[in-house]
Amino acid sequence: MFFEEAAVYPRITKSYTPTTVHGKLFDIPRALQQYPDTELKLFYIPDSGLDCDGKIVYYRDFLEQPCCFREDGTFSFEFRPQQEGEYTFKLTVHKNGENFKDLGTFSCYALDSDLYDLVPRKGDTHVHTLHSACGKFDEEPSYAAATARERGLDFVFITDHIKRYPSIFARDALKEFSSDFSVYPGEECHAIKSKDEKTFYKAILYMSLHQLSLGASYGVSDYTNEHFEEYQQFIEARKLTLDQNISEDQRTLMAAIDWIVDKTHEFGGISIFAHPFWRPSTRLNLAPEVRQYILNNGKFDAIEVFGLGSPGHSNASYVEGNCQCANWLMEESIRLGRRLPVTGSTDSHNARALLGYQYTLLFAEDDTLEAAKEAIKSGKTVAVSNMPGQNPFMYGSPRLVQYACFLLREYFPEHDEACAAEGKLMLRALRGECSAELVKSYSEGLTAGLWKRFSGKNQ
């Protein structure tokens, strides 16, 4: 049952904690007037397949849930979850004691306290604008950010090549809307060959090295340019400590990654190993030895498992790379004995075509930058690839992925519909077609209010 047909809240509760769930049926009570001698009944089945006594609930065997139905279409019942997980409810019409018609289903989810206290937020950690020479020439940072909101995202990191300031432009431009949507600072860093060149390119950068600096207080690329001699000395000294049997150009990249990650951390940011298996021109972008060095030294905070794979992307062949990356991460996590934190993104260079198909779903205490960074570093994230016409593919902790499946089906459709309207208003305001006050009147507290109602935290 979808939110257009009935309102059922809250849908989230704590494990082993009784909660009263309230509902409102929109059109069903009028329809039932045509069928005398009928009654509504509610049944449920736990996702675990076990009833409250630990006994197996067999295929298609739903358990009856006592429920109070009223003539005005409202209803209520006491939800008593026995363990963390999803509980599916089926609403049926019974006539003369037998099932006459199934009307639909909805789900509630029980969470242990540690996850119950966190808010799910989805966003893109890797987005380019016209300030990247490879970006779309008419997409200003504010436009890309507002488009992200239109596509149902709660946050975005703008990450232009070797430039942090576009993300600040976007953040400042959207401040006046008082939205729950967050724009965070970021940049995509590379190994720099020469000083004072502020344009992107092959002449001044080692292009095979891509590392995201997210949430730092200062631009790593700016600092490198301003302290170029210090940077060169670091690279030469670090190269001497590396295996001399490896070619010098590879050792240069290995040293440069240490510099980038160290500076990102020095400025309070988190470092994301971007698209390890990017395949431009049908070849791997990053040499295997360099990729493995980045993994083994373990300085980064998370790995971008999904990127560059959205429909219509100029690097469409990277879908294959996402597959390779997911399997590589699984094997390396087993080898290391720990799960590596992950992010998902589009690496968008065309916001209107790409945003919203791949993203990071993180579970954070609030919507602050510090909370987002902590969620990513601590592995409270799920990387999501949600292509049109396909079932979503997710990568992360099985516990979080199970919860994410529920959220994508039961919560985010309503959330995304609200965000789409808000994003459209933002874009109109940025074009001068409506006032910021109009956007503010719609936006303020919008998605925060939806979550409070869905999770019952406004009761």
Side-chain angles (χ1 to χ4, degrees):
M1 178 168 293
F2 299 101
F3 65 91
E4 295 94 341
E5 301 168 345
V8 184
Y9 300 103
R11 306 284 288 283
I12 303 288
T13 187
K14 286 186 179 181
S15 305
Y16 306 99
T17 303
T19 300
T20 300
V21 177
H22 301 274
K24 169 71 174 177
L25 305 171
F26 299 147
D27 298 316
I28 289 171
R30 287 182 297 167
L32 286 177
Q33 293 175 7
Q34 304 175 46
Y35 297 95
D37 303 321
T38 59
E39 62 176 332
L40 292 173
K41 287 191 175 184
L42 189 65
F43 297 84
Y44 79 96
I45 190 168
D47 184 64
S48 66
L50 302 175
D51 66 14
C52 295
D53 298 320
K55 297 179 181 178
I56 293 175
V57 180
Y58 288 96
Y59 179 61
R60 291 183 177 176
D61 284 350
F62 278 72
L63 309 171
E64 186 165 359
Q65 168 68 56
C67 184
C68 177
F69 292 99
R70 306 174 187 90
E71 290 185 359
D72 63 356
T74 62
F75 64 92
S76 60
F77 63 92
E78 190 173 70
F79 179 32
R80 291 178 169 270
Q82 295 301 302
Q83 60 184 4
E84 184 171 271
E86 182 172 356
Y87 294 73
T88 300
F89 292 85
K90 180 173 68 172
L91 184 63
T92 67
V93 178
H94 275 60
K95 186 174 183 179
N96 299 324
E98 295 184 358
N99 189 342
F100 173 64
K101 190 175 186 61
D102 290 339
L103 296 178
T105 63
F106 63 89
S107 293
C108 294
Y109 208 99
L111 294 169
D112 294 345
S113 295
D114 61 330
L115 197 49
Y116 177 79
D117 293 333
L118 303 179
V119 179
R121 305 182 72 229
K122 63 175 180 176
D124 201 322
T125 55
H126 193 166
V127 173
H128 295 273
T129 75
L130 60 77
H131 291 276
S132 292
C134 50
K136 204 161 182 3
F137 79 97
D138 61 341
E139 289 190 349
E140 297 180 2
S142 58
Y143 175 90
T147 301
R149 185 54 157 177
E150 184 191 15
R151 300 300 170 79
L153 301 185
D154 297 297
F155 67 90
V156 67
F157 285 90
I158 300 296
T159 55
D160 282 305
H161 291 285
I162 64 172
K163 300 179 183 76
R164 177 179 177 272
Y165 65 82
S167 63
I168 306 304
F169 289 171
R171 182 193 66 187
D172 293 347
L174 268 61
K175 271 183 181 178
E176 62 179 335
F177 298 142
S178 299
S179 172
D180 298 327
F181 179 69
S182 302
V183 182
Y184 299 135
E187 65 176 312
E188 186 164 14
C189 302
H190 304 273
I192 299 176
K193 293 181 181 179
S194 60
K195 184 181 178 181
D196 291 330
E197 296 287 346
K198 301 304 288 185
T199 57
F200 170 51
Y201 290 51
K202 295 179 181 177
I204 66 162
L205 302 174
Y206 291 96
M207 283 308 303
S208 57
L209 181 62
H210 297 223
Q211 194 80 4
L212 301 179
S213 173
L214 304 184
S217 61
Y218 199 80
V220 172
S221 301
D222 286 335
Y223 183 91
T224 303
N225 190 61
E226 294 160 1
H227 301 80
F228 194 71
E229 290 185 5
E230 176 191 347
Y231 163 73
Q232 286 182 308
Q233 291 169 4
F234 177 93
I235 296 296
E236 293 306 316
R238 181 57 58 91
K239 282 162 59 175
L240 293 175
T241 68
L242 302 174
D243 185 350
Q244 299 302 297
N245 293 317
I246 298 174
S247 64
E248 183 177 3
D249 56 350
Q250 291 190 76
R251 284 185 285 121
T252 297
L253 295 183
M254 293 173 180
I257 195 67
D258 288 338
W259 168 272
I260 292 168
V261 177
D262 288 349
K263 289 303 173 187
T264 296
H265 290 158
E266 183 180 326
F267 300 141
I270 58 173
S271 184
I272 309 299
F273 184 7
H275 44 63
F277 285 84
W278 178 28
R279 297 182 64 84
S281 303
T282 69
R283 62 173 176 78
L284 280 172
N285 185 62
L286 194 60
E289 291 85 355
V290 179
R291 182 174 59 244
Q292 206 62 31
Y293 174 81
I294 296 171
L295 178 77
N296 290 340
N297 74 12
K299 288 186 173 184
F300 60 87
D301 296 294
I303 294 179
E304 184 183 79
V305 63
F306 297 143
L308 287 165
S310 300
H313 205 293
S314 59
N315 292 296
S317 63
Y318 193 65
V319 173
E320 177 186 347
N322 288 337
C323 222
Q324 285 180 276
C325 189
N327 285 277
W328 174 69
L329 274 178
M330 179 177 64
E331 185 172 89
E332 292 298 337
S333 294
I334 294 171
R335 181 178 69 84
L336 295 171
R338 62 184 178 90
R339 182 176 296 279
L340 297 166
V342 297
T343 63
S345 73
T346 55
D347 191 0
S348 170
H349 291 67
N350 184 342
R352 66 175 65 95
L354 304 177
L355 290 183
Y357 294 115
Q358 294 182 165
Y359 51 85
T360 300
L361 179 58
L362 59 79
F363 301 89
E365 293 182 355
D366 51 47
D367 62 359
T368 62
L369 172 59
E370 291 306 313
K373 291 191 293 186
E374 177 56 32
I376 293 172
K377 287 167 56 178
S378 60
K380 296 185 182 71
T381 57
V382 173
V384 181
S385 179
N386 195 359
M387 300 300 180
Q390 300 179 20
N391 289 326
F393 181 67
M394 308 182 207
Y395 190 96
S397 149
R399 180 191 181 201
L400 294 182
V401 168
Q402 181 180 353
Y403 181 32
C405 288
F406 163 80
L407 292 171
L408 261 64
R409 188 180 65 251
E410 302 289 330
Y411 169 65
F412 278 113
E414 183 174 8
H415 166 280
D416 293 355
E417 186 176 90
C419 290
E422 181 182 355
K424 284 180 171 63
L425 280 176
M426 287 180 173
L427 289 167
R428 287 188 61 199
L430 291 170
R431 293 167 178 146
E433 298 173 1
C434 69
S435 68
E437 286 302 315
L438 176 62
V439 184
K440 183 177 178 179
S441 66
Y442 178 83
S443 297
E444 199 162 14
L446 177 66
T447 47
L450 284 175
W451 178 248
K452 285 179 180 178
R453 182 176 61 168
F454 191 83
S455 63
K457 294 183 180 179
N458 60 348
Q459 294 184 347

